[in-house]
Amino acid sequence: MKKNTMIRRIRRAPSPFLKNNPLLEILKYVAVIVGSYALSKLEEFINKHEDTIEK
């Protein structure tokens, strides 16, 4: 599929293209995993330095 044709299809109806793209599904799962890890590290940092944080 040519690039211009793909861009026209995405602009016309973006949701079917995004739902059927396996790369975007993989990226979504990776984002969830990275976000969960970052939140757990932030929680550890806050718990470790809880006495120095001003309330």
Side-chain angles (χ1 to χ4, degrees):
M1 187 180 294
K2 290 186 178 180
K3 183 179 176 183
N4 293 336
T5 308
M6 280 182 60
I7 291 172
R8 263 190 262 128
R9 278 186 60 201
I10 293 170
R11 285 186 183 153
R12 210 174 10 187
S15 59
F17 178 78
L18 296 177
K19 286 180 183 174
N20 295 330
N21 194 336
L23 179 62
L24 292 177
E25 290 293 321
I26 293 169
L27 288 176
K28 183 170 61 173
Y29 287 118
V30 169
V32 169
I33 292 169
V34 169
S36 298
Y37 179 75
L39 284 175
S40 68
K41 287 297 178 183
L42 181 63
E43 187 178 359
E44 284 178 22
F45 179 79
I46 289 173
N47 288 336
K48 188 187 294 182
H49 297 87
E50 193 170 13
D51 56 340
T52 59
I53 298 174
E54 292 182 23
K55 294 183 180 178

